[in-house]
Amino acid sequence: LDLYFRQRSSTEYDHLRDSLDTFKKEAEKVSKMERTVVGSAIAASSSLSAGYVIWLIRSGALLSSVLSSMPAWQLADPLAILAGKKRDEEEEDSLKDIIRKGSDSSKEKEIEIEL
């Protein structure tokens, strides 16, 4: 216990104070560096997020202008739908009807060849 409570000289106190000041300066440098890194990360992520949002809005505006300039029936052509219905009706023909149609068209071809 005598080591802790003995009288210290002024040079020992000066040395202790200098050591503590040095430690404080190093801790402040580390803290300042950490704040700089965190601030840079926040600025970079914020600018990237804002850029991404602007890019999405811009692409959405471009897509909406393209879609508004397209004809309304381009995605679902009613003629193709009606033509598909006509094919369905033809498929409902019986085998006899198909053979008759084929024989009628072959007779017409023979008549055209003779002329």
Side-chain angles (χ1 to χ4, degrees), residues 28-73:
E28 286 175 352
K29 283 182 186 178
V30 170
S31 176
K32 186 177 181 181
M33 182 66 153
E34 288 176 355
R35 278 188 256 140
T36 303
V37 169
V38 169
S40 299
I42 289 172
S45 64
S46 298
S47 63
L48 285 175
S49 297
Y52 184 66
V53 167
I54 290 170
W55 179 67
L56 283 176
I57 291 170
R58 187 173 176 200
S59 64
L62 181 64
L63 183 63
S64 65
S65 68
V66 167
L67 289 176
S68 68
S69 67
M70 287 175 37
W73 287 104

Side-chain angles (χ1 to χ4, degrees), residues 73-89:
W73 287 104
Q74 186 169 356
L75 296 175
D77 188 14
L79 294 178
I81 295 170
L82 294 174
K85 182 151 178 74
K86 187 176 182 182
R87 285 188 201 135
D88 291 342
E89 289 174 359

